[in-house]
Amino acid sequence: MKTDEVITHSYVTDATMPSGKTIALITLDNNRDHKRPNTLGPLTLIEFGEALEAQRKRAAAKEIDGIAVTGKPFFLAAGADLSQVQDLPNRATAALLPKLGHRVYSLMHDAGVPTFVFINGLTLGGGLEIALNANYRTVNEGAPRAIGLPEVSLGLVPGWGGATLLPNLIGIENALKVIIENPLKQRMLDAKQVHELGIADAIFPSATFLERSFLWADSVLTGKTKVERKKIGLVEKAKWDVAVGIARKSLESKLGTVPLAPYRALDIIKEVKKGDIAAGFAMEDEALADLIVSDQFHASIYAFNLVQKRAKRPAGAPDKELAKPVRKVGIVGAGLMASQFALLFLRRLQVPVVITDLDQGRVDKAIEGIHGEIDKLQGKGRVDADTANRLKGLLSGTVDKSDFADCDWVIEAVFEELTLKQDIFAEIEEHVSDEAVLATNTSSLSVEQIGAKLKHPERVVGFHFFNPVAVMPLVEVVKTPHTDDATLSTAMVTAKNLKKNAVITRDTPGFVVNRVLAKLLGTAMHAVEQGTPFEDVVEAARPLGLPMDPFVLLDLVGLRVGAHVLDTHHAAFPERFHASEALTALAEENVLIEKDSKGEPKGIDKQALKIVKKFVPKDATPYTVDDLRIEFEDGLADEIKRMLDDNVVAAAEDIDLCMILGAAWPFHAGGATPYLDRVGASERVFGATFHDPRIEGPKD
């Protein structure tokens, strides 16, 4: 195991209160700047435990009246040092870490004096569990929306008391949101929510947070303040099992049963209804020991590092100093995607945005819709009135392309028709400067061909968003053989300013995400056209761990779009990609998934079953579930290896980053390539692995 842990030290100072009582304050500080938050490795925990034991002795000697814990400026703690956890060699060693955390944190129970935690900033995972193990908690009103228990999104459970203590503090339904729902949606809490939920007993402004926290603690010590908390009574206990059952069914419908961590967390939460803390802690110990050595945890850390590190340093990006300024944006098209672009550019860049379309009526309708979206943002408190008015003032519409003359960046969002896009860019080029960047949002056409008729093809770049634009974090930045470094740099800087993660790809069919999905969805449609039952196809795809089955995904992206993507890839690579006459027929009737009254998928529509049956040959041989699973895995391994050999992206890590950010490929799989290595598909297809060593847990 590594020994180069950045230790978060425990510095103790005494504070004398107005009442004359003394509180020993333990300040957690790793002595690094604000870019490096406090983390909790084994050596940190040992030092923290020693500090707590020393204060417990002082409490027994009547030298102090209370113990408080806080962090360095902006941070309490960002949780466990996961770089250390990754290197645990086996389950026996892994089992020591949760036990160490419980032993140390339990020193805050029955310490001889009341214990307090002052949540002064970012507080995640094991950091929040320090607070939960204390008797009382305050929170800084100015703390960022970075307080919570993210463990299940990383293949773990809150294992230092969080899964046990929180449900009995804030109630079962709130605890399920904090422990399971929020992390799976990548959401954390802000200070106000922490206080309203009852995690913190008091909230104070940033400027006087520490001072007022001490005064509040003093009032608790003297009995002037009585802390009232949510009572977990018979009514709460009566709905406990029902709430856990609903949460389990929701997980199964949204994630399937492949992810381990959320279900282990549910098991603990269900058990602690009895209020037996020791039993809950024992379950946390067992769950963490199992999960730390699991393939899913190691894949999750790989995925986490891709999103947190590689995404911030994109492979192949030119020097950002080469980027041209973007002071005005032009958008060609006034449909749904174009309107989403306009709102995003307005909010993030806050520069003038002009949109155009074939007639003024369509332009006016788009502007009205964008204004409505800005009003919704204001209604939700996302922007204030002044900002809303300013954003509206920056937006204009036109049917006169000469109004694009002073645009530095023009992006088109029109139909996927090559000649149309070529003609639009040729027309725009007549009006804009030679320095203006022309970006296309095409998902399947050649970016090079789109710019083929231009005088300056070096200014053309692919800038492929995913729908919904405001939510999906990925932009595929497509470099043609002609794209110059200044244009590419401008695209990368613009993506960053839009708060998107950009990955540079070569100009090849489907780029990354659509090419991988086309392989998956094409195989699924081919299987049903060979007479394989839909439910068998779904079962064969289940081990991939995707958030939805292939047919629900097809329905979500749109059947016409899906058919177009499959046709495009079949045309480019006919020997490897199946065309689907059945999907084309389904698209014409716009029928595939039956939905309930809430719009949730119920299964395959009966009409869709009849349509597909017409395309099944009499001599067709259906796949078995196992054979089709291998067909999925080997097909993906083959296609991804070809993409890497063809330098579509710089490395396998970029394939996985695209699939995680652009297709919600789950963290617990680590993206596509670690999964394909673990199941043996890589070795079956090309006799090696994408990663050496494989990304997997230790094998005892």
Side-chain angles (χ1 to χ4, degrees), residues 28 38-40 45 48 69 76-82 101 105 108 117 122-133 148-151 156-162 288:
L28 302 175
N38 294 332
T39 52
L40 305 166
L45 289 174
F48 182 45
V69 180
L76 179 59
D81 183 345
L82 295 181
Y105 285 19
M108 301 186 75
V117 170
L122 180 147
T123 304
L124 297 172
L128 183 57
E129 287 172 303
I130 293 175
L132 292 174
N133 278 274
L149 299 170
E151 284 87 349
L156 299 174
V157 299
W160 289 339
L288 269 189

Side-chain angles (χ1 to χ4, degrees), residues 5 8 88 115 125 183 266 300 353 505 543 552 573 654 690-691:
E5 175 186 340
T8 297
L88 294 170
T115 54
L266 274 182
S300 294
V353 173
T505 86
V552 173
F573 311 112
D654 296 309
F690 291 109
H691 303 276

